[in-house]
Amino acid sequence: MLGFAHDAVLLQETVAAVLGVKSLPVQTEQADQHGLQLNGTYVDATFGRGGHSQLLLSQLAADAKLIVFDKDPTAIAVARELAAADSRVHVVHESFATLTDSLDALGITQVDGLMADLGISSPQIDDGSRGFSFMRDGAVDMRMDTSRGQSVAEWLSKVDDETLANVLYEFGEERHSRRIARAIKQMESYESTLELAEVIKVAHPNWQRGKHPATQSFQAMRIFINNELGDVDAFLAQSIPMLKPGGQLAVISFHSLEDRRIKQFLQRHSKGQHPEDENLPMPPQRPRYFGKPKRVGPSKTEVSCNPRARSAWLRMATRTDVAYVPATEE
């Protein structure tokens, strides 16, 4: 399974960021093949097919640790295969929203680096049976973790028009959400992703050139059913107490809903300015938990080789030495 073809986006940049270095050493036949040999404990919060993890491991010392998280049972199978070959790897079949509790169960209270590659992976899209694709037929499932929770089909059979429209608008930024929701609810069954995509296509009054009209609706249902934005918020909040002083946070996102959250989180906790303080005559002094954030996008070369990378942004920041204070105590 480790040989599964999957291009990890912003690979070098993300691993360098989580290690706190400007760039990784260039590997040649004559160069030292043992990488940076850094110690510490690191987390890959979205293992996927292990591209980022495997490069990170090449830069770590023999006594370092790498904890990998994923919801997807297929990804976990790949992760366990890697763990069987490398004792530094520890596998957690959970959402990264469980970061603190899951690491605590392993006896880990703080880490040197956290990285995450948000959203859906190419293997998940390419497997029509998972239900993520509107180009390949399959069951209308869309769960990241197929071992628990309700599928999109089950949810659609119960949800009312108004709630569905709100989901399409909030999580897919779909301007024609009400019209599409009505069309979806008129379907007799939700057994085929291609049938669902076709209904959305017919109902959509304004197609964007080069973009399938079901794109935003499928995105919305996937994000909702997997609680993706809620999980991102929980993960980011837990990164503050989890990172050691000088520890690194590196997160890749692919659409504005996620990127906006990461950007605002890092701005808030690097400037010590919270939105709820704006209208106060004397805003409280908030802790600055991160240094100045940085943002990196893919190179033209990467985009030409891997079109999926075109919308990706990597945001990174370094944890300051300011002690964490729970919000209720600030």
Side-chain angles (χ1 to χ4, degrees):
M1 285 189 184
L2 288 174
F4 195 103
H6 171 58
D7 296 324
V9 172
L10 291 162
L11 178 59
Q12 294 277 332
E13 296 89 342
T14 302
V15 173
V18 82
L19 291 172
V21 298
K22 289 185 177 180
S23 62
L24 301 181
V26 177
Q27 295 292 305
T28 66
E29 291 183 3
Q30 291 77 31
D32 177 13
Q33 297 297 307
H34 297 293
L36 295 170
Q37 290 290 290
L38 297 179
N39 292 305
T41 300
Y42 297 86
V43 172
D44 182 348
T46 52
F47 180 79
R49 293 302 180 269
H52 292 102
S53 280
Q54 291 184 70
L55 181 58
L56 178 58
L57 286 166
S58 73
Q59 306 300 316
L60 297 181
D63 58 350
K65 287 183 180 179
L66 175 60
I67 320 302
V68 302
F69 285 71
D70 211 292
K71 290 181 177 182
D72 191 325
T74 305
I76 288 298
V78 178
R80 286 174 176 154
E81 187 178 334
L82 179 61
D86 192 324
S87 61
R88 296 174 294 176
V89 179
H90 304 266
V91 181
V92 179
H93 182 195
E94 290 288 351
S95 163
F96 55 37
T98 70
L99 183 72
T100 302
D101 289 342
S102 293
L103 293 182
D104 184 63
L106 295 172
I108 298 169
T109 56
Q110 285 194 307
V111 301
D112 297 273
L114 294 168
M115 64 178 179
D117 180 0
L118 304 180
I120 191 170
S121 69
S122 297
Q124 289 171 324
I125 297 173
D126 293 340
D127 182 355
S129 68
R130 298 296 301 275
F132 295 112
S133 175
F134 42 75
M135 304 297 290
R136 297 173 175 82
D137 201 19
V140 183
D141 195 319
M142 300 193 202
R143 288 173 296 167
M144 296 288 190
D145 187 348
T146 53
S147 69
R148 64 188 90 172
Q150 68 175 338
S151 67
V152 167
E154 292 170 328
W155 176 68
L156 286 176
S157 68
K158 303 170 186 174
V159 71
D160 59 80
D161 293 26
E162 184 177 359
T163 302
L164 174 55
N166 290 340
V167 166
L168 298 183
Y169 183 79
E170 181 179 355
F171 299 113
E173 299 177 299
E174 176 54 74
R175 291 184 301 149
H176 307 288
S177 60
R178 297 197 179 282
R179 181 170 177 166
I180 292 170
R182 285 195 298 270
I184 290 174
K185 287 302 295 180
Q186 288 171 7
M187 295 178 67
E188 293 183 359
S189 67
Y190 306 103
E191 298 177 356
S192 165
T193 51
L194 289 185
E195 289 180 9
L196 177 59
E198 182 62 23
V199 166
I200 295 171
K201 180 179 176 181
V202 172
H204 206 296
N206 185 19
W207 298 4
Q208 184 177 331
R209 186 181 181 89
K211 185 177 183 179
H212 193 289
T215 300
Q216 289 165 267
S217 294
F218 267 59
Q219 171 191 296
M221 290 183 282
R222 187 204 84 219
I223 289 174
F224 172 80
I225 211 70
N226 292 292
N227 191 37
E228 291 180 37
L229 298 184
D231 282 6
V232 169
D233 289 342
F235 168 71
L236 291 174
Q238 291 173 72
S239 73
I240 298 173
M242 186 53 64
L243 283 167
K244 297 177 181 177
Q248 305 294 325
L249 176 66
V251 186
I252 303 169
S253 62
F254 288 87
H255 58 75
S256 60
L257 291 174
E258 293 172 337
D259 186 58
R260 193 180 305 127
R261 271 173 156 72
I262 303 161
K263 175 184 177 180
Q264 292 173 348
F265 170 82
L266 291 176
Q267 285 182 337
R268 185 162 65 249
H269 293 295
S270 62
K271 295 180 179 180
Q273 297 174 351
H274 290 207
E276 59 266 31
D277 300 338
E278 290 180 1
N279 298 321
L280 296 178
M282 295 184 65
Q285 188 69 32
R286 302 280 191 174
R288 298 188 179 192
Y289 291 126
F290 288 98
K292 185 178 180 179
K294 297 179 181 178
R295 184 181 78 160
V296 174
S299 66
K300 291 182 179 178
T301 301
E302 179 172 7
V303 173
S304 66
C305 295
N306 181 13
R308 179 176 177 260
R310 67 186 178 276
S311 59
W313 287 110
L314 166 64
R315 292 190 184 270
M316 62 197 93
T318 303
R319 179 72 167 86
T320 64
D321 60 2
V322 175
Y324 173 67
V325 179
T328 55
E329 299 177 19
E330 289 181 6

